[in-house]
């Protein structure tokens, strides 16, 4: 699937983990900072615990571009966007409690595990849960987010899911506009003012999109 010079593929290009972690942190570092920060440590943790089979990536210059391999050029092109999803107990970013403690220490790691638990979202039966979309700021307004969402929906249909679910924080109205444009509707708003100082957001909107299994 292509649009102009952007191609969307399932999975992660070989060697692209650091680039994907960079994009993911740029998009969600404000929410993940307390749990996985500082930024360098957070990007390192994400890069080391990615599940490539739970990703859709957008590549710029994928055909005939010159440069280094691994998501920054070459045959694979440069990764300019990524969308993750949860299905069958696996999401884009893995890493259990033991991995967090190993990275951040036993004492500090325990606190971070508790913070991450507040962000957990478990798919219901027949449901695919979005892990978020991250697009290079320099590449926004090119329709990349829409391409990623379209491919996520195709995956949901192939997996015989009846709907896609996602959560968007109140502080990110641009993301909500994108989701609404592509057929998602708000089904629940949860106010969480007690989390504003802890995780940086004070409310979460849950959105659904119904899909028709093949």
């Amino acid at each position: 699937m292509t649009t102009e010079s952007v191609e969307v593929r399932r999975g992660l290009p070989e060697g692209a983990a650091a680039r994907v972690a960079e994009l993911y942190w740029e998009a969600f570092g404000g929410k993940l900072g307390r749990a996985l920060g500082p930024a360098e440590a957070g990007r390192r943790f994400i890069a080391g615990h990615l599940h490539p089979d739970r990703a859709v990536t957008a590549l710029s210059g994928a055909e005939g571009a010159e440069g280094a391999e691994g998501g920054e050029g070459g045959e694979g092109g440069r990764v300019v966007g990524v969308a993750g999803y949860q299905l069958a107990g696996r999401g884009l970013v893995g890493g259990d409690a033991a991995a967090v403690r190993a990275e951040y220490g036993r004492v500090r790691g325990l606190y971070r595990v508790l913070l991450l638990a507040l962000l957990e979202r478990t798919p219901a039966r027949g449901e695919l849960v979005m892990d978020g979309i991250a697009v290079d700021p320099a590449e926004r307004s090119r329709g990349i987010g829409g391409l990623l969402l379209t491919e996520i929906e195709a995956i949901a249909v192939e997996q015989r899911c009846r709907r896609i679910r996602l959560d968007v924080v109140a502080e990110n109205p641009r993301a909500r506009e994108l989701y609404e444009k592509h057929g998602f509707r708000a089904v629940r708003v949860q106010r969480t003012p007690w989390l504003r100082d802890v995780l940086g957001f004070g409310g979460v909107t849950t959105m659904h999109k119904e899909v028709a299994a093949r």
Side-chain angles (χ1 to χ4, degrees):
M1 180 193 302
T2 61
T3 178
E4 298 180 356
S5 62
V6 176
E7 180 177 352
V8 171
R9 298 179 186 172
R10 298 182 186 183
L12 299 179
E14 184 177 354
R19 172 61 175 162
V20 169
E22 176 188 356
L23 291 175
Y24 205 81
W25 190 264
E26 192 280 331
F28 304 110
K31 182 168 66 173
L32 297 174
R34 296 289 182 89
L36 296 179
E40 182 178 355
R43 290 192 293 265
R44 182 173 61 246
F45 184 87
I46 292 170
H49 296 87
L50 290 171
H51 292 145
D53 61 340
R54 292 295 184 264
V56 174
T57 49
L59 306 169
S60 181
E63 298 180 0
E66 296 182 356
E69 294 184 359
E72 296 295 340
E75 292 183 3
R78 177 177 172 80
V79 177
V80 294
V82 60
Y85 61 94
Q86 292 188 43
L87 193 65
R90 289 163 58 85
L92 173 59
V93 181
D96 57 14
V100 175
R101 292 197 298 268
E103 177 70 31
Y104 296 95
R106 294 187 64 181
V107 176
R108 293 182 179 180
L110 178 59
Y111 173 68
R112 293 166 187 267
V113 168
L114 295 175
L115 291 181
L116 289 171
L118 296 174
L119 300 173
E120 283 293 325
R121 294 163 296 168
T122 302
R125 185 178 179 84
E127 186 176 68
L128 181 148
V129 172
M130 287 282 301
D131 266 345
I133 288 180
V135 176
D136 187 329
E139 302 288 344
R140 290 173 184 167
S141 300
R142 295 183 61 191
I144 294 173
L147 284 178
L148 292 169
L149 279 174
T150 298
E151 192 65 17
I152 290 287
E153 182 172 348
I155 292 171
V157 170
E158 291 173 12
Q159 294 297 318
R160 300 183 180 279
C161 296
R162 68 179 186 277
R163 74 183 179 201
I164 304 170
R165 186 183 107 218
L166 60 84
D167 293 324
V168 59
V169 299
E171 288 75 10
N172 195 354
R174 180 170 180 162
R176 177 166 175 168
E177 289 177 6
L178 171 67
Y179 299 138
E180 289 175 337
K181 179 180 178 181
H182 287 271
F184 287 82
R185 60 183 181 85
V187 297
R188 182 174 68 253
V189 178
Q190 182 179 7
R191 304 297 179 187
T192 55
W194 59 90
L195 290 180
R196 189 179 299 278
D197 293 335
V198 178
L199 294 174
F201 58 89
V204 175
T205 299
T206 298
M207 306 185 76
H208 288 171
K209 181 174 183 178
E210 307 300 320
V211 296
R214 292 175 181 171

